[in-house]
Amino acid sequence: MAADSDGPVRSAETDKLWNEMSVDPVELHLGKDSGFTLRAYRMSDTLPGAKAAAAPAEDKAEVEETDEDVKPGGKHAADDDAAPEDEDALEPDAADFADDEDDAAEEDEDALDATPEEVPVFLTRKGKLLVFREPGALVEYVKGNDDHDLAAIEEYAELQERLSADDIVCDEDDTYELDLVVANLRGGQEAWEPELLIKAAEVGRDLGYALKNDSVVNSLAPGSPLDDLDETFRIVVDGGLRGKLAKRRLKKNDSQQAAIAWRGVIAKINDHVEWRG
């Protein structure tokens, strides 16, 4: 399987390795730098500390109240904090009812947290994504270290034994050119490349979750402007009558605002990348 039309070709042995490990090498292009990391998808109940990745409600509210340019997802997250300054002003029954509602909400949140879901796991360590400029440096690190989040997967010890530099060949679907996103959006609707932007949203959501970065998560959350744009691109790619209608809808989007929003997301991701090798 080729990484791209001009890039290196994966051997059958390399394909077998990644399939058996259920891990993939990922190539990231960010600004003037690019490199490789690893990503896996696992059920959340098989990973330590999965519940901590959920965005705290108070942090979401703070983001929404201070970000005027791009409204992140979870539009009503701040409503929970809109309580009267003086709780004694509530009638006794109303106060009791409010407490009951809070308890019910906490129970519902705990139930959601307890439901296993498939989540992304990267080579992240202490809130940083480790990206290696050279395949050999990535392999050397993996073989010599297990103090990062990806080491929690069951297959990690076997991956350490079997991995070689020749295996760091990324599938085209796992190559993300985030460095092209802002320029493409600024080129206007006619120049937009849906596949490029869909992939950017995909890896952005994954990295937001893996890095526990609420700002990135919220910016791409359901109902956010960037998520709506992503959904429209997906309809366009699917084609048909809905695709034609979606193309018309794209023309109503402000390309400059979309570019500004994505520039902010990419900057936040870049701030949490640790370049190595």
Side-chain angles (χ1 to χ4, degrees):
M1 184 183 300
D4 57 53
S5 57
D6 300 317
V9 178
R10 282 191 185 184
S11 67
E13 291 79 8
T14 290
D15 272 338
K16 181 180 179 183
L17 170 70
W18 296 126
N19 289 334
E20 291 179 353
M21 297 296 98
S22 294
V23 177
D24 288 297
V26 171
E27 184 174 353
L28 286 176
H29 296 261
L30 284 162
K32 297 179 180 179
D33 227 330
S34 62
F36 305 92
T37 189
L38 299 179
R39 173 180 60 187
Y41 293 99
R42 295 293 186 272
M43 297 305 295
S44 56
D45 58 344
T46 68
L47 302 170
K51 183 175 178 180
E58 59 268 23
D59 290 346
K60 292 182 182 178
E62 182 179 350
V63 169
E64 289 164 8
E65 290 173 357
T66 57
D67 189 349
E68 297 289 340
D69 295 327
V70 182
K71 295 297 181 183
K75 297 178 181 177
H76 304 294
D79 293 345
D80 293 339
D81 295 331
E85 293 183 4
D86 184 3
E87 292 188 4
D88 293 336
L90 288 172
E91 293 293 331
D93 291 342
D96 292 341
F97 180 72
D99 290 340
D100 291 341
E101 278 191 324
D102 290 341
D103 292 341
E106 289 178 4
E107 289 176 4
D108 289 343
E109 185 177 346
D110 290 341
L112 287 173
D113 288 338
T115 303
E117 59 178 340
E118 189 175 70
V119 297
V121 191
F122 285 84
L123 272 174
T124 47
R125 182 177 182 273
K126 296 182 178 180
K128 293 284 188 177
L129 174 69
L130 307 183
V131 183
F132 298 80
R133 297 181 181 91
E134 298 297 332
L138 169 57
V139 172
E140 182 180 357
Y141 179 82
V142 169
K143 286 184 171 295
N145 294 274
D146 57 9
D147 60 341
H148 51 79
D149 296 328
L150 191 70
I153 67 171
E154 183 179 354
E155 300 84 356
Y156 188 71
E158 184 178 352
L159 179 65
Q160 286 181 302
E161 293 181 4
R162 295 174 58 182
L163 188 62
S164 72
D166 291 338
D167 296 317
I168 310 301
V169 180
C170 300
D171 185 82
E172 185 176 359
D173 290 339
D174 297 318
T175 300
Y176 301 96
E177 297 176 303
L178 294 177
D179 54 332
L180 303 181
V181 168
V182 173
N184 186 252
L185 287 168
R186 283 180 172 164
Q189 288 88 343
E190 295 302 321
W192 285 355
E193 299 179 27
E195 290 85 356
L196 169 72
L197 300 167
I198 288 170
K199 289 173 65 177
E202 173 191 309
V203 77
R205 291 187 187 93
D206 281 358
L207 290 172
Y209 182 94
L211 294 168
K212 301 178 177 61
N213 189 306
D214 297 344
S215 180
V216 172
V217 169
N218 291 340
S219 292
L220 293 164
S224 68
L226 291 185
D227 180 69
D228 291 343
L229 189 60
D230 176 53
E231 182 61 28
T232 306
F233 284 133
R234 291 176 185 273
I235 295 172
V236 169
V237 169
D238 287 342
L241 178 59
R242 292 185 71 231
K244 291 180 180 179
L245 295 174
K247 282 185 177 180
R248 294 180 185 175
R249 190 167 44 189
L250 282 178
K251 295 180 179 179
K252 299 178 181 180
N253 283 271
D254 186 327
S255 60
Q256 293 304 311
Q257 282 298 101
I260 290 170
W262 257 115
R263 185 178 64 188
V265 170
I266 293 169
K268 291 181 179 71
I269 292 172
N270 227 337
D271 286 344
H272 290 80
V273 169
E274 183 176 323
W275 295 98
R276 297 195 176 193

